[in-house]
Amino acid sequence: MIELIRRIADYIFADRKKVKERLGDIMGGKVLELESDKLIKIGEEKGIKKGIEKAQLQSIHNLMASMKWTVKQAMDALGIPEEERNKYTEGLKQR
């Protein structure tokens, strides 16, 4: 039932944050997190993660080019955890 109310509220009050919060208060003191808000948050988190990975990859490449370091030396200098190194090694191969 609550899920149905959330979906209806998402549709009707998508652009009215105050109404959404007030409706959430009435429904038991909780502020509703609308589906659109969840999707935006997920998208932002994915974008941030992808941006960080891209910057790390560029930093590895720059250290290798400017300092004549190996991939391992560059990753050591950047403090990249062992469990993430394969991802960056593969990313360098695709450049």
Side-chain angles (χ1 to χ4, degrees), residues 55-92:
Q56 287 282 56
L57 193 59
Q58 186 64 47
S59 295
I60 293 166
H61 182 267
N62 290 345
L63 285 171
M64 291 172 62
S66 65
M67 303 295 288
K68 308 292 187 226
W69 285 354
T70 65
V71 174
K72 183 181 180 335
Q73 288 172 320
M75 288 191 206
D76 286 345
L78 294 169
I80 296 176
E82 289 292 330
E83 59 272 6
E84 295 181 14
R85 291 183 179 213
N86 285 338
K87 169 178 60 180
Y88 292 112
T89 301
E90 291 301 315
L92 287 170

Side-chain angles (χ1 to χ4, degrees), residues 1-73:
M1 180 70 168
I2 291 175
E3 183 62 31
L4 177 62
I5 294 170
R6 285 177 198 233
R7 287 178 186 236
I8 292 169
D10 189 18
Y11 178 75
I12 296 172
F13 305 118
D15 61 341
R16 295 195 174 122
K17 187 174 181 169
K18 287 285 186 191
V19 173
K20 180 174 62 173
E21 290 174 357
R22 187 69 185 119
L23 181 60
D25 290 342
I26 293 168
M27 290 181 57
K30 296 181 182 176
V31 175
L32 292 178
E33 182 180 13
L34 301 180
E35 193 65 27
S36 58
D37 295 338
K38 290 179 191 177
L39 294 174
I40 290 169
K41 185 176 180 180
I42 290 169
E44 287 173 344
E45 289 170 356
K46 285 182 180 181
I48 290 168
K49 182 178 178 183
K50 191 170 185 171
I52 289 169
E53 290 173 0
K54 190 173 181 178
Q56 287 282 56
L57 193 59
Q58 186 64 47
S59 295
I60 293 166
H61 182 267
N62 290 345
L63 285 171
M64 291 172 62
S66 65
M67 303 295 288
K68 308 292 187 226
W69 285 354
T70 65
V71 174
K72 183 181 180 335
Q73 288 172 320

